Structure formats: structure tokens, C-alpha cells
Amino acid sequence: MKKIIVLGAGLVGRTIARELSNDYYVTSVDSNTSRLKSLADNKINTLAADLSSQSEIKKVIDVYDLVIGALPGFMGFDALKAVIEAGKNVVDISFFSEDPFLLDDLAKEKNVTAVIDCGVSPGLSNLILGYHNKRMKIKNYKCIVGGLPYKRDWPFEYKAYFSPIDVIEEYVRPARIVVDGKIIEKPALSEPEIISYENVGELEAFNTDGLRSLLKTMNIQNMIEKTLRYPGHIELMKIFREAGFFSEKEIDVKGKMIKPVELTAELLFPLWLPEKDEKDFTLLELFIEGTENEKQSSYHYFIFDEYDNVENNSSMARTTGFTCCAAARYLLENDFERKGICPPEFLGEDEACYNFVFSFLNKKNIKVENSIM
């Protein structure tokens, strides 16, 4: 039986560990022992370790066939580097700010396949775009994505289903988009638009820095990614940002130097923590337009996924975690020869891999609607 080690036992990391343990020997690692205890009723080995230490990471992953990176963004890049240096294939979902292609030469030197950004978006959205980009000349690409609770608690009407510190990054990191073939930066939370959806009503979409690897791997004239929240959330987060609550710059508070964002995080995170068995939904919408076989073609993809009442699992953990699991299974069960940094759009170019991922998601009852417009 092949061995997989999952670095990080947060909401998504636990989902990944549980799913893969159905067919593989799985070890889940985290510094937080209470998170590991939640896996005690599963056939999963657990290990407490300091994953901020590259030497510790190299030590714990030594005997495994595949590594899954499910750490917060601020830890993700260094952890990925350690895994690659150890010569281990890896599938990673960390939303780190560093350029992953800085590790491309190292990964090729170590003969490593490093699949990065392998969640729902970035992740599944990239896979779909990569598939079509191989088969048509794309001119316009737009991605709209969000995960929200059904229960709209004042004042935020939001819960963090992945690392909350990465959520704050979405509100401060400039959003890079492509307009007429040029990469331009827009402020985070900018250019809001109201979109109405049948299942949940009106939501507001705003610019976020979600294109990531696509900025380097795709030659597409126009690309944009937007994140969804309930109406009013943008304005509230703008107030926090402009007032300095998300600032990394230390300030003097009664003789003590603190980073405002660290205090904000301590205050916000308990309020953003989903309640036990709290119902949520994930929405992903893609628009792809271009020329195919010398004809104009437009594709529309739509996913609406909800909390799993049988497994008691959040939709965000499902859509993110199961996409990662599909990629992990494909690497373990098939001959994927590409080495180096492999964002999901590279996986999507391979029709067998593309079909494998979609078949797996369908088995997990994540339905992907696809129409030609």
C-alpha cells in the first residue's frame, strides 16, 4: 500500500486525509494536537510536529510516496521548498504569496513533480482553463468563486473554511488581472458587481489575486478572477483595511510593538470559525471565450456544491480537498511524467488527467455543469 503524508490538519487537510485513507496508508501531521485528535476515529496515523521547520518537514516525510501540503499560506512556500529538496512528489493547496516557479529548477533537478494551487480556485478552475487552452485560442477568461455559510450572522456574514489569515490576504493583496494582453494591478476589493444566483440570491463579487500561475502559463488577452461575498462585506473590509487593522507595519502600543493584523486576526478568527455542522455552499462560475476550429466558441462552467449532511463535511473542504485528492490519486496511479512546478492548468492539458479528475469529483457528488454558449 502506498504511503501519503498530509502536512496540516485543518478543515481541508482533515478532509484530504480521511478521503485518501480509504485506499492508502495516510499520516496526518500538525503542531496542533487537538486537530489531530479529530482524526482519531479514522484509520489514519497522526503525528505532532513543528511544520515551520524545514528540517522537521524533511524528517517526517522521509518514508512516504507522496506529500500533500495543506498549510496556511505564510508557511506554504518554505514547506514546499523543503519537500522538493527532499526529493518527494507533492500536491499542494497552500495559498502562498511567493512565486512558485522560483522552485521550478530545483524541482526538475530533484526529479520532482510539484502540483501547486490544487484546490477549487485556484485549482479546478485552472484545470478547466488548461484543458481548453490546449484545444482553442482563448481570448477572454473570467472566474467567479466563493464559499459562504447559509446563516448570515451580523456583522460579517462570513465564515472562514480555510486558513483565516489567507482570507485577510484576499483583502489586502493587489489583484493582478490581464487586460488587452498586459498584466495590471487593481486594489483588492475593487470593482464590485452584484450577481444574482437562483439558490442564494444576490452576492457581490470583487477583484482578488486568484489568477496566480495563469499570469505566467497562459497567453490570453483578458483574464480576471473575482471572489463572492454577501452584499456589504466589501465595504466593511475596506474600513478595516483603510483604518490600518490589516497592516503588517508594527506600531507602538503602550511601549509594546505589535502588528495590527496580528491583533485583528486574534479578534476576528473566533468570529469567523464555522459552528459545528454549520451549513455552507461553494459557488464556482467560469466563462471561456475564443476561437475553436476557426469558429467562435464560448464555454460556461458552473458548480454549486453544498454541505454534506451524510459525512458532516463543509462544501469548501469538499470542493478544495477532493480536487487535491483527485490530483494525488492520478499521480500515484498513472504515469505522469512532467517534472518541475506543475500548476493545475498543466494537468488539464492531459485529457486523461482531466477526465480522471472530473470522474472522481462526480463520484463525490460534486456536479460540474458545462454548457456551450
Side-chain angles (χ1 to χ4, degrees), residues 120-319:
V120 59
S121 182
L124 182 59
S125 54
N126 301 52
L127 182 97
I128 294 169
L129 184 61
Y131 175 83
H132 285 286
N133 189 66
K134 187 75 171 179
R135 292 156 181 82
M136 63 186 287
K137 176 61 178 177
I138 300 173
K139 182 180 180 181
N140 301 310
Y141 168 74
K142 184 175 184 178
C143 173
I144 302 170
V145 64
L148 291 165
Y150 274 109
K151 187 179 178 183
R152 298 175 61 172
D153 287 330
W154 183 89
F156 301 107
E157 298 186 337
Y158 177 73
K159 294 296 173 67
Y161 293 92
F162 56 98
S163 171
I165 198 69
D166 293 337
V167 176
I168 290 179
E169 276 287 301
E170 292 186 341
Y171 303 147
V172 297
R173 188 188 300 173
R176 295 166 295 171
I177 65 174
V178 180
V179 179
D180 295 331
K182 296 180 180 179
I183 299 174
I184 64 173
E185 286 191 355
K186 297 277 188 175
L189 302 169
S190 61
E191 299 182 334
E193 57 178 306
I194 296 294
I195 307 174
S196 183
Y197 291 101
E198 180 180 350
N199 307 68
V200 293
E202 289 188 343
L203 299 175
E204 61 182 12
F206 55 91
N207 288 330
T208 39
D209 192 42
L211 294 178
R212 296 167 64 78
S213 61
L214 298 177
L215 297 169
K216 285 194 172 185
T217 62
M218 297 287 112
N219 182 22
I220 296 174
Q221 199 167 4
N222 300 291
M223 294 193 293
I224 190 170
E225 191 245 31
K226 289 194 168 185
T227 293
L228 292 165
R229 295 288 186 266
Y230 286 117
H233 190 84
I234 291 175
E235 196 63 27
L236 184 56
M237 292 301 101
K238 279 184 176 179
I239 293 171
F240 272 76
R241 187 183 66 191
E242 298 309 310
F245 288 96
F246 295 151
S247 175
E248 294 273 355
K249 185 178 179 180
E250 289 188 342
I251 60 173
D252 187 327
V253 179
K254 295 184 177 179
K256 293 185 178 180
M257 302 302 292
I258 66 166
K259 292 181 179 180
V261 68
E262 293 180 352
L263 173 61
T264 303
E266 289 295 320
L267 295 172
L268 287 183
F269 290 0
L271 301 175
W272 285 357
L273 187 68
E275 298 175 7
K276 181 176 172 56
D277 301 334
E278 181 166 6
K279 306 299 186 288
D280 71 313
F281 65 88
T282 303
L283 197 155
L284 174 65
E285 191 169 22
L286 302 179
F287 299 90
I288 299 171
E289 300 175 345
T291 304
E292 188 174 20
N293 298 324
E294 299 182 354
K295 295 180 180 179
Q296 295 299 311
S297 297
S298 298
Y299 291 90
H300 177 231
Y301 286 81
F302 184 79
I303 296 174
F304 184 81
D305 187 71
E306 297 179 276
Y307 182 94
D308 185 339
N309 290 301
V310 177
E311 298 290 336
N312 293 322
N313 198 11
S314 82
S315 172
M316 182 54 69
R318 282 166 42 78
T319 52

Side-chain angles (χ1 to χ4, degrees), residues 27-45:
T27 295
S28 177
V29 188
D30 203 291
S31 61
N32 187 325
T33 55
S34 63
R35 289 178 177 173
L36 296 174
K37 285 180 181 177
S38 67
L39 293 169
D41 58 343
N42 293 266
K43 49 183 181 291
I44 299 169
N45 183 43

